[in-house]
Amino acid sequence: MPTVLEIINLSNDYLKNKGIDSPRINAELLLAKVLNCKRLDLYLSFDRPLVESELTLYRAFIKRRSKNEPLQYIVGSVEFYGLEFVVNSSVLIPRQETEILVESIITANNDRGNLKILDIGTGSGIIAICLAKYLNQAQVFALDSSADALKVAKGNAIVNGVEENINFIRQDINIDGINFVNDIDIVVSNPPYISNEEYSKLQPELRMYEPRIALTDDSDGFSFFKTISQKASKLLKNHGKIYFEVSQGQYQQVEEILKLENFININIYKDYLNIERVVYGELN
Ligand code: GLN
């Protein structure tokens, strides 16, 4: 049987030949998953031979990764904002940029209690769950059109101990039939904002494995911002707040969309790469 170091080297070469970025890190993280240890622990057991069952599982993982399946779906979980989230192909993989959205809401509102928050397109539930966890007594309504995504989100809420504070509702973007008129303090969304045209140019990991409906609006990328802004202007309380995550270069247009719907005090938050990532507005 090959040792830990030997199998990492072999898999590194294999993934590299298949054109996978960062092949060694991928090989190590997948092996750590198989051996149920941390990546750095592998360095302490380079000479340990694998047993048959470990090798079989590891080969299957490497094969999947070589076909561009994202590492996160194979490993089955992701860390986001210091919490652990289960992911599968029914939900978008959490992105680091989305921490900016969560952070900006928590920072600006953590001195308020009992907030009613609406998360539109909750996916794996990362936004709803972080807000329920870190905002005092917040009551969160988390919407998604996909029953499979809601299953993942509910599981994540339970694991993170906030299932009591979140109502998961199967509902598409039109939010018709939901009666929150002038009752919500904060609307938040990281909607599918990739345009039809950009979608076709995405790397295979995204196009082949992540849910299309979570990524693109099949239009110009702005349709969800428009619909959500319109709906939010009716659902929010006076001076209620809205927070959107946007794609690079979308912020000015989203700002205009918000102004049209009577939002003021627009603010922009930048991400780790200095890209305008979050657009904020307050209902006039
Ligand atoms: N709210 C989830 C996230 O931020 C899912 C977003 C989506 O599916 N567009 O990752």
Side-chain angles (χ1 to χ4, degrees), residues 80 90-95 98 101-102 119-128 144 189-193 211 213-216 245:
F80 176 87
S90 309
V91 297
L92 197 73
I93 296 167
R95 302 299 202 272
T98 307
L101 178 66
V102 167
D119 172 23
I120 300 175
T122 200
S124 61
I126 50 170
I127 300 171
D144 207 285
S189 187
N190 175 23
Y193 52 55
I213 56 161
L215 287 166
T216 177
E245 177 174 319

Side-chain angles (χ1 to χ4, degrees), residues 102 105-106 117 126-135 138 140 188:
V102 167
I105 300 175
I106 292 174
I117 300 172
I126 50 170
I127 300 171
I129 291 165
C130 291
L131 297 180
K133 186 110 188 157
Y134 296 116
L135 285 175
V140 184
V188 54

Side-chain angles (χ1 to χ4, degrees), residues 231-247:
K231 303 281 175 183
S233 67
K234 300 190 177 64
L235 301 176
L236 283 167
K237 289 178 184 165
N238 267 350
H239 308 296
K241 301 174 173 189
I242 190 164
Y243 293 83
F244 280 131
E245 177 174 319
V246 301
S247 179

Side-chain angles (χ1 to χ4, degrees), residues 19-282:
I20 302 296
D21 281 345
S22 312
R24 188 166 176 108
I25 293 181
N26 276 274
E28 290 180 359
L29 288 170
L30 288 170
L31 188 57
K33 174 72 185 173
V34 168
L35 301 182
N36 199 16
C37 68
K38 297 228 177 302
R39 179 177 154 227
L40 292 179
D41 293 337
L42 297 173
Y43 291 71
L44 304 173
S45 42
F46 271 161
D47 298 331
R48 167 189 181 305
L50 267 63
V51 300
E52 185 76 46
S53 58
E54 292 164 347
L55 191 61
T56 307
L57 182 60
Y58 187 56
R59 283 210 175 110
F61 280 2
I62 291 291
K63 182 121 216 159
R64 284 167 68 182
R65 188 67 192 96
S66 75
K67 293 183 177 156
N68 289 310
E69 182 169 349
L71 178 77
Q72 295 90 335
Y73 287 153
I74 304 173
V75 170
S77 67
V78 178
E79 194 188 305
F80 176 87
Y81 207 70
L83 302 176
E84 194 74 11
F85 293 90
V86 166
V87 290
N88 63 30
S89 56
S90 309
V91 297
L92 197 73
I93 296 167
R95 302 299 202 272
Q96 220 188 356
E97 304 89 272
T98 307
E99 290 183 340
I100 303 296
L101 178 66
V102 167
E103 175 76 17
S104 53
I105 300 175
I106 292 174
T107 308
N109 298 284
N110 65 4
D111 56 345
R112 306 167 72 197
N114 300 305
L115 292 170
K116 274 195 189 170
I117 300 172
L118 183 62
D119 172 23
I120 300 175
T122 200
S124 61
I126 50 170
I127 300 171
I129 291 165
C130 291
L131 297 180
K133 186 110 188 157
Y134 296 116
L135 285 175
N136 190 22
Q137 303 289 322
Q139 190 187 357
V140 184
F141 300 89
L143 275 44
D144 207 285
S145 63
S146 155
D148 290 335
L150 286 175
K151 238 185 255 169
V152 174
K154 278 180 197 163
N156 281 327
I158 292 169
V159 170
N160 287 295
V162 291
E163 73 273 24
E164 304 272 300
N165 310 76
I166 306 179
N167 289 345
F168 290 98
I169 305 171
R170 186 164 177 204
Q171 182 72 52
D172 75 6
I173 203 72
N174 290 310
I175 328 178
D176 293 329
I178 290 204
N179 201 8
F180 290 135
V181 179
N182 297 336
D183 195 32
I184 297 289
D185 295 286
I186 296 173
V187 168
V188 54
S189 187
N190 175 23
Y193 52 55
I194 296 174
S195 71
N196 213 357
E197 197 189 327
E198 284 169 274
Y199 183 80
S200 57
K201 297 182 212 144
L202 291 179
Q203 61 193 104
E205 268 91 345
L206 275 86
R207 247 184 314 110
M208 289 161 55
Y209 291 96
E210 292 196 84
R212 185 186 168 96
I213 56 161
L215 287 166
T216 177
D217 64 349
D218 272 322
S219 174
D220 63 356
F222 290 97
S223 44
F224 285 99
F225 295 121
K226 288 181 191 146
T227 312
I228 294 171
S229 303
Q230 282 160 10
K231 303 281 175 183
S233 67
K234 300 190 177 64
L235 301 176
L236 283 167
K237 289 178 184 165
N238 267 350
H239 308 296
K241 301 174 173 189
I242 190 164
Y243 293 83
F244 280 131
E245 177 174 319
V246 301
S247 179
Q248 182 165 15
Q250 284 183 323
Y251 71 101
Q252 283 153 320
Q253 249 173 286
V254 173
E255 196 175 322
E256 293 310 313
I257 290 169
L258 281 175
K259 285 183 185 160
L260 271 179
E261 296 301 329
N262 206 21
F263 286 90
I264 56 167
N265 296 337
I266 307 288
N267 205 352
I268 310 289
Y269 298 84
K270 290 185 175 181
D271 68 16
Y272 310 101
L273 299 172
N274 217 26
I275 294 167
E276 291 79 5
R277 188 56 70 184
V278 171
V279 181
Y280 162 82
E282 195 183 305

